[in-house]
Amino acid sequence: MESNALKNEMENNINSTKEQITQISVEHNPKQIQSHTQPAGILKTIRKPNKITNINLPNFDGSKRTTKEKTKNRKKRHVFLIGDSIIQGQKIEFKRGFDEHKILCRPKIRLPEAVHLVEDLRCKKEDIVIVLGGTRELEHKTQDEISLQFEALIHTVKNKSKNPIITSILPRRNDVNLNPQILLTNEKVKEICAGKGVMYLDLMSHYTGQNYLFKKGGIHLNKVGQAKLGSLRPSPRLN
């Protein structure tokens, strides 16, 4: 009797151990291990979730576009940032707004040179061309001369890209002689842009009277001013 009881206890221990091993195997590999408690052929199928291919994402202007459209834009668009020394360091700042696109920054370009540079750009119509005007020409040229140069620049940029953007000229810190002329020039540039259907971005109003954004010379921006300029980056609706 004792021998039979001992034999039954050993069989129970063996069966318990088998069940534990089976349970561990099922937890580690549920696709390949079939539970002994289920009939053959009744394995629970584990399905992966469907891949999401149509996620709504914000466009630059707040509208929606799909993942497919986002990928398409990322492959083909470049952002050309052209201006005088004021845009030095703006490649990183603008990258935060145009993270899908490649930024090409060309600083230290004066107004007459900008026209020829835009003409020679190897860009597609879908690329974005942004031009930030400087103040150097205003010291040596008349208002009419500056207006004609801007008109030629705006015409060239529009012919080169379906997404052209012209910004206003930034003021100088406490320059009571030049700032009124900068204001008049910006108004004229805004008028030309409106007539040609080109996006105009007002930067001057954000810097007028904000002396803490400029370096001691009053012409160039300090780090805070550069960061602010980057935060004012345009958000066009891409064509």
Side-chain angles (χ1 to χ4, degrees):
M1 294 293 293
E2 292 180 359
S3 177
N4 290 336
L6 180 61
K7 184 178 180 180
N8 290 335
E9 183 179 354
M10 290 178 64
E11 289 179 352
N12 290 335
N13 290 337
I14 291 171
N15 290 334
S16 177
T17 302
K18 286 182 178 180
E19 290 178 359
Q20 293 178 5
I21 293 173
T22 301
Q23 181 65 29
I24 293 172
S25 299
V26 170
E27 290 176 355
H28 285 274
N29 198 348
K31 290 185 178 181
Q32 297 180 4
I33 304 299
Q34 178 177 335
S35 174
H36 290 281
T37 61
Q38 293 180 334
I42 310 182
L43 274 177
K44 186 177 181 180
T45 304
I46 301 176
R47 294 182 178 180
K48 294 183 179 180
N50 293 331
K51 185 177 180 181
I52 300 175
T53 57
N54 190 31
I55 305 174
N56 285 331
L57 298 165
N59 208 332
F60 284 120
D61 64 345
S63 60
K64 298 285 184 73
R65 71 182 186 278
T66 63
T67 304
K68 182 178 180 181
E69 291 170 334
K70 179 181 177 182
T71 304
K72 183 179 179 181
N73 288 338
R74 180 168 58 246
K75 288 181 178 179
K76 70 179 182 180
R77 295 187 191 277
H78 291 74
V79 179
F80 295 89
L81 183 58
I82 302 168
D84 66 356
S85 57
I86 205 74
I87 68 168
Q88 283 185 306
Q90 283 301 305
K91 182 175 181 178
I92 296 176
E93 298 293 342
F94 269 64
K95 186 67 176 175
R96 297 171 186 171
F98 295 100
D99 56 350
E100 308 166 13
H101 311 298
K102 184 175 182 180
I103 308 293
L104 301 170
C105 188
R106 290 296 304 272
K108 297 184 178 181
I109 303 297
R110 303 179 72 171
L111 190 55
E113 298 170 329
V115 177
H116 300 295
L117 178 62
V118 172
E119 286 177 345
D120 296 335
L121 281 181
R122 294 183 178 180
C123 67
K124 298 178 181 178
K125 280 287 188 181
E126 296 79 11
D127 290 335
I128 305 164
V129 180
I130 307 171
V131 181
L132 291 84
T135 58
R136 293 294 184 185
E137 281 74 26
L138 298 179
E139 296 176 325
H140 310 290
K141 296 183 181 296
T142 66
Q143 186 68 51
D144 290 339
E145 290 174 327
I146 295 295
S147 297
L148 287 173
Q149 287 185 344
F150 263 107
E151 190 167 3
L153 174 63
I154 294 168
H155 176 78
T156 304
V157 172
K158 184 179 181 182
N159 287 341
K160 202 72 177 182
S161 168
K162 293 193 295 185
N163 297 294
I165 302 164
I166 304 294
T167 78
S168 65
I169 301 172
L170 291 179
R172 291 188 179 183
R173 188 182 69 178
N174 296 332
D175 194 327
V176 295
N177 295 319
L178 194 61
N179 282 343
Q181 187 177 350
I182 295 174
L183 181 60
L184 290 174
T185 301
N186 285 337
E187 290 297 325
K188 182 63 177 178
V189 172
K190 182 179 180 180
E191 181 183 330
I192 298 172
C193 287
K196 293 187 177 294
V198 172
M199 180 178 178
Y200 172 81
L201 182 64
D202 174 32
L203 299 177
M204 184 172 182
S205 61
H206 296 278
Y207 286 86
T208 301
Q210 307 299 313
N211 294 339
Y212 71 96
L213 299 174
F214 294 85
K215 292 182 178 180
K216 290 183 179 180
I219 299 176
H220 297 106
L221 301 175
N222 56 27
K223 290 183 179 180
V224 178
Q226 287 282 357
K228 184 176 181 65
L229 183 59
S231 71
L232 297 171
R233 57 187 172 267
S235 301
R237 180 181 178 86
L238 298 179
N239 295 312

